[in-house]
Amino acid sequence: MRWLASAVTLAAASTSTAPPESTQQALGYPSLFLLVLIGALVPVVPTGALVSSAAVVAFHQTAPFSLALVFVTASLAAFLGDATLYWLGRRGMRSRNGSRWLEAIRSRAPEERLAQAQSKLAEHGVAVLVLSRLVPAGRLPVMLACLVAEWPVRRFSRGNLPACLAWALTYQVIGILGGSLFEEPWEGVVAAVGLTLVISAVPSVVRRASR
């Protein structure tokens, strides 16, 4: 958690001494795209917090369509990252020896959660993909369930597109709420990051309590 606290401090410092909006846009959108894309492939980057923080900064900008660009950038990066990871997982399923990408998905999808995802996927189909993107740590178990069910990449992508749009919109709304409550952008960034961390921690707390 130290690196996350450092990231929040850095974000606060950078927004308190913000460069011109043109510089923010030239650097911010490509950085957001790259980080969300990496976070979709290697789920250690808090992508939800990134989108919320970017939305806070965009909310305080005067440039038109800033929030729309954040939404398009985040949803596109998430979609491409998910599609790439699913394609790599499909290759691993077809290989006798599997692959490190498939093992990475399996390591984050315990058997109990995989069984739940398979049951919900069989019952509700594509709608489960949308919910899996909105529930913290719910994306990979459902993705693995799709892999086990041998969904083609095209079918997975059709269901994953609205899931990524809903995910980007949800975390952007969190950022807008954080930005509207505070006059200084860095205060909104801290509030948005804190809220996303609380949301991310809820499922694990519930699981531990149920055990």
Side-chain angles (χ1 to χ4, degrees):
M1 298 298 290
R2 291 182 179 177
W3 67 269
L4 186 55
S6 300
V8 172
T9 304
L10 181 60
S14 61
T15 50
S16 62
T17 58
E21 289 186 8
S22 58
T23 304
Q24 292 182 15
Q25 292 175 358
L27 298 176
Y29 296 125
S31 299
L32 177 64
F33 180 88
L34 184 60
L35 289 173
V36 173
L37 180 65
I38 293 174
L41 291 170
V42 186
V44 294
V45 179
T47 52
L50 289 172
V51 175
S52 297
S53 300
V56 171
V57 176
F59 179 82
H60 286 278
Q61 289 182 341
T62 59
F65 309 117
S66 295
L67 288 171
L69 287 173
V70 169
F71 172 74
V72 171
T73 301
S75 56
L76 179 60
F79 176 77
L80 292 177
D82 284 356
T84 302
L85 183 59
Y86 189 79
W87 178 75
L88 292 170
R90 286 268 296 175
R91 290 189 62 186
M93 293 289 288
R94 294 174 179 177
S95 173
R96 290 184 178 180
N97 299 324
S99 69
R100 62 186 184 92
W101 293 101
L102 180 60
E103 290 304 317
I105 297 174
R106 283 176 171 165
S107 66
R108 291 175 172 81
E111 292 185 5
E112 179 182 352
R113 300 191 63 191
L114 174 60
Q116 294 176 355
Q118 288 176 309
S119 175
K120 293 178 181 178
L121 189 66
E123 184 176 355
H124 301 289
V126 172
V128 178
L129 285 173
V130 179
L131 294 177
S132 72
R133 252 291 179 181
L134 298 178
V135 175
R139 178 176 66 103
L140 293 184
V142 173
M143 181 181 290
L144 182 58
C146 292
L147 289 170
V148 173
E150 298 184 349
W151 278 26
V153 175
R154 183 176 297 180
R155 183 183 181 186
F156 173 81
S157 297
R158 282 200 302 265
N160 193 51
L161 178 59
C164 292
L165 294 175
W167 170 82
L169 180 61
T170 299
Y171 281 99
Q172 186 167 12
V173 168
I174 293 175
I176 293 173
L177 292 175
S180 63
L181 293 175
F182 301 95
E183 294 183 0
E184 294 294 333
W186 71 267
E187 295 175 326
V189 169
V190 173
V193 171
L195 183 57
T196 54
L197 290 178
V198 170
I199 293 173
S200 300
V202 168
S204 60
V205 172
V206 172
R207 285 195 297 269
R208 290 178 182 178
S210 63
R211 290 174 183 175

